[in-house]
Amino acid sequence: MSNEDRKDPPSGMRKGLTSYGDSGFSLFLRKAFIKGAGYTDDALGRPVIGIAATGSGFNPCHGNMPQLVDAVKRGVMLSGGLPVEFPTISLHESFSSPTSMYLRNLMSIDTEEMIRAQPMDAVVLIGGCDKTVPAQLMGAASAGVPAIQLVTGSMLTGSHRDQRVGACTDCRRFWARFRAEEIDQQEIDDVNNQLVASVGTCSVMGTASTMACVSEALGIAIPGSASPPAVTADRIRVAERTGVTAVQIAASKLTPDKILTVGAFENALRVLLAIGGSTNAIVHMTAIAGRLGIEIDLDRLDAIGRETPVLVDLKPSGQHYMEDFHHAGGVPELLRQLKPLLNLDALTITGQTLGEEIEKSGPGFAQSAIRTLREPIYPQGGLAVLRGNLAPRGAIVKQSAASADLMEHEGRAVVFENIEDMAARIDSDDLDVNADDILVLKNIGPTGAPGMPEAGMLPIPRKLARAGVKDMVRISDGRMSGTASGTIVLHVCPEAAAGGPLAWVRSGDRIRLSVNKRELTLLVSDEELAMRAEQNPVEPPSASRGYRKLFLERVTQADQGADFDFLRAKADGRRAPR
Ligand code: FES
C-alpha cells in the first residue's frame, strides 16, 4: 500500500478492492479488466458515480430507463465524474408473484451489497414502481455511500370515450363497474387499452407517486424531481441535474444518514399526510428509518395528522392526476404551502436546507391542484392510526379516501380465513352478507400470504355490487394499493398468522370502527377470545428452503416496516415525528 493510500480513505477505482492479498495487484487487475471496455487512465482517475439502473422488460413503469441513464451520465460527465451503470433487481407490481412486497427486502439487499461491493464514490438510484424506491433507499441507507434518488416519473393519462383515465384508480373503478354488470365486455376491453397511456409510474397519488414526493420531502432527491411525467423534457433535465448533484455529494461525502434525519422524516410524514398519500408509505418509511435506528411513532403520526390537512387534489382522494400536480408546481409548491409546519433547517441533497430550497422556488401562481392551509381538500391528514383490542399494535385507515357515513360504524363480521377462502365465496349468491356488515380478511399479513399483498380492498360481494353497494368497511392485516379507495382498515398488527387477535374473529361477531376516536374494537370478551386462542392455536407458516424460508423466519410486523430483523439498525432512541 502506498503512503498516499495510508493518508486518505481510498476513492474511485481504488475503493473496495477485490481481495487477493496484494492491493497493488488488485488495482492493477481491476484497471486491466475495465480498460477492456476502452477506458483511459484519465477517465479511471475521476470520481466514480454508480448508477443503479432497474430497467426490465417486465417493468413498463421503468420503460424510460435508457433515456434517464443517458441524461444522468451526461450530468456526471459535465461535472468531471465517471458514470458507471450497474443493474439490480427490478420489481413491477403486476409482474411480481406472489406480491412485490415479498421481494422488496431482497431488492434492498441487492442494492446495499452492490453499492458496497463495487467502487463508487456516490450512487444514483433510479427507481419508480412502488417497491423499488423504498428498496433502494433502504439499501442505500444501510450501505452508507453518498446516494441520490431519481424517480422514473409518472405515466401520461389516457382517454376512454372522452373520459380522462389513468392507472390505477380508474382500473379499479371500471373493474368494479364491470363486476356490477354496469358495463359490458366490449367496454372493459376498450378501457384496458387506455388506462396506461405511456411508460412511467401510475398517474394518481398511488404508492409510486407518494414515494416520489416523500423522497423529495426527505431531501434525498433534487427539488422539483418528484412530479415531471416520465416522457417529458422536464424529466430528462431532472436526470441530468441529478447526475451533476451526484458528483457534488461524492466530493462533499454527503452520506444518507446526514440527510435522512428525524427532522427530514417529520417533513416527509407531513407531506405524506398532506398529499393524501398511500398507506403503503407508512410501512416503507418505517423500514427506511429503521435502517438508521430511527423509529416511526404511529401515535405521534396520528397526532400531527390532526393538524396537517390534505392539500393536494389528486385521485384517489381527489380529482386530478400527477401531470396536473406537476403543472401546478409539484412538491416545491406544496412545501411552500406547508412551510409553517416544516423543519426548515433539514439538510437536502443540494447541500442547502429545505428552507433555502423553498425560498428559491418562487412565489407560486394560480392553479387548482394544490390548495392552501386555509382551503384544504380535507381538514385532517389523509391517514389515521387506529388502536383497540383487534389491533393492539395499530392499524391504518386512509380517511381521506373513505366514505364519510362509514367512518363511525358498528356491524356484523363476515370473515374470510385467507385469500383462497375469499375468492371461493365472495361472489356466491349463498354468502350471508348485507351492506351493513364488515368484511374481514385474515392471513394476508407479512407472513400470512406471505408478503402482505395488496388484497386489503376486498371486492364488494357481487350480489351487493349488483344492488348498487359501492363501499363497505373492510378489515385485514394486509395492504391495499395506493390507488385504491374505500373505508378500508389495513395493516392490523400483529397479523393473524402471528397470533394477533384478528385470528380469533368469527363470522357473526360484532366490530366497532370509530375513526373519530381512532378505535377498532372487537365486541367479544377477553375471556371468550382467550378460549378461542386455546382451542385453535395458530401455527406460524414455514418453508423448508430458499428465500421463502429466510422471509418467513426473519420478516418483522407492519409496525417495524416488514423489514428483515437482521437488516434493521439498533434503535438509538430517536423517534419521528417528535
Ligand atoms: Fe408501477 Fe403502479 S404499477 S407504479
Side-chain angles (χ1 to χ4, degrees), residues 75-246:
V76 170
M77 288 192 283
L78 284 169
S79 302
L82 174 66
V84 182
E85 174 187 353
F86 65 97
T88 71
I89 291 171
S90 183
L91 301 175
H92 183 276
E93 288 304 289
S94 293
F95 292 94
S96 302
S97 179
T99 168
S100 61
M101 186 66 175
Y102 174 66
L103 298 164
R104 182 202 64 179
N105 297 350
L106 184 64
M107 183 175 175
S108 84
I109 293 174
D110 181 5
T111 304
E112 174 184 345
E113 295 304 332
M114 288 300 99
I115 292 173
R116 191 176 283 130
Q118 300 169 137
M120 58 191 83
D121 299 300
V123 61
V124 177
L125 309 158
I126 313 183
C129 196
D130 293 13
K131 307 306 175 295
T132 59
V133 170
Q136 291 184 321
L137 290 178
M138 290 159 69
S142 297
V145 170
I148 181 168
Q149 184 74 55
L150 170 65
V151 298
T152 55
S154 62
M155 61 182 71
L156 299 180
T157 52
S159 177
H160 169 67
R161 301 184 184 175
D162 209 26
Q163 214 187 120
R164 195 177 182 204
V165 292
C168 225
T169 304
D170 296 320
C171 313
R172 295 172 202 287
R173 184 164 62 85
F174 276 92
W175 190 251
R177 292 185 62 202
F178 179 61
R179 278 177 53 80
E181 299 171 7
E182 292 172 14
I183 62 174
D184 60 15
Q185 187 69 47
Q186 181 63 49
E187 183 161 4
I188 198 74
D189 290 346
D190 286 352
V191 77
N192 192 252
N193 285 326
Q194 300 304 323
L195 288 162
V196 179
S198 74
V199 296
T201 52
C202 286
S203 53
V204 298
M205 193 51 80
T207 305
S209 302
T210 300
M211 289 309 300
C213 295
V214 160
S215 300
E216 191 176 328
L218 281 169
I220 196 99
I222 62 171
S225 64
S227 60
V231 297
T232 59
D234 279 349
R235 172 57 53 200
I236 301 298
R237 276 189 285 271
V238 163
E240 184 185 302
R241 283 171 48 216
T242 299
V244 170
T245 309

Side-chain angles (χ1 to χ4, degrees), residues 49 79 122 241 243-254 349-351:
I49 309 299
S79 302
R241 283 171 48 216
V244 170
T245 309
V247 178
Q248 293 165 358
I249 62 170
S252 61
K253 301 191 172 28
L254 191 56
I349 201 78
T350 63

